[in-house]
Amino acid sequence: RAFVADVDRDTGRTECHLLVPSDVAKSSSGETTLFDVSQRYDLDVFPLKDDGPHVNFVVMIDEDNGVVTYHPINSRVQLSTGKPAKKKARATMVERRAMGEEDVREMEMRVAEIDEDLSGKYGTLLDEEG
């Protein structure tokens, strides 16, 4: 598991760092883990969604619990060839946090664009057409 972090736009181009776990075994167990900055990348973001409903998704299958979920994707991120990390980049702690009310609302509004039940709750385009 790795993370793109420290996204910065100071140089005219967007740059970021790739964080990798210092201890892979500890990271796999779900414990709080220290992450090291591995490399620096130029980052470009390309939109995938026009004015219509979402057409790009990530589908997650949980075979143990018999559940399939999906998440709409708004954009594609492209990273350039990696460069050495800047010397002042520091190790970073990454922890899980519970979703807040605003996070849940934002997620439901995105799903409402393609979900008939939620479209009525948020008055989205699907509700107006349907």
Side-chain angles (χ1 to χ4, degrees), residues 10-31:
D10 286 343
T11 63
R13 286 199 52 109
T14 306
E15 291 186 343
C16 65
H17 288 112
L18 180 67
L19 304 180
V20 296
S22 299
D23 183 347
V24 176
K26 188 175 180 182
S27 170
S28 299
S29 69
E31 294 179 47

Side-chain angles (χ1 to χ4, degrees), residues 80-115:
S80 67
T81 303
K83 301 172 241 178
K86 294 180 180 176
K87 292 187 183 211
K88 63 181 178 180
R90 295 173 295 178
T92 304
M93 285 296 247
V94 177
E95 296 180 295
R96 293 183 186 264
R97 69 172 177 84
M99 289 178 63
E101 288 181 31
E102 184 62 30
D103 297 323
V104 172
R105 184 176 182 279
E106 181 181 337
M107 181 183 67
E108 285 182 348
M109 286 181 67
R110 287 185 179 180
V111 173
E113 294 179 10
I114 57 165
D115 185 289

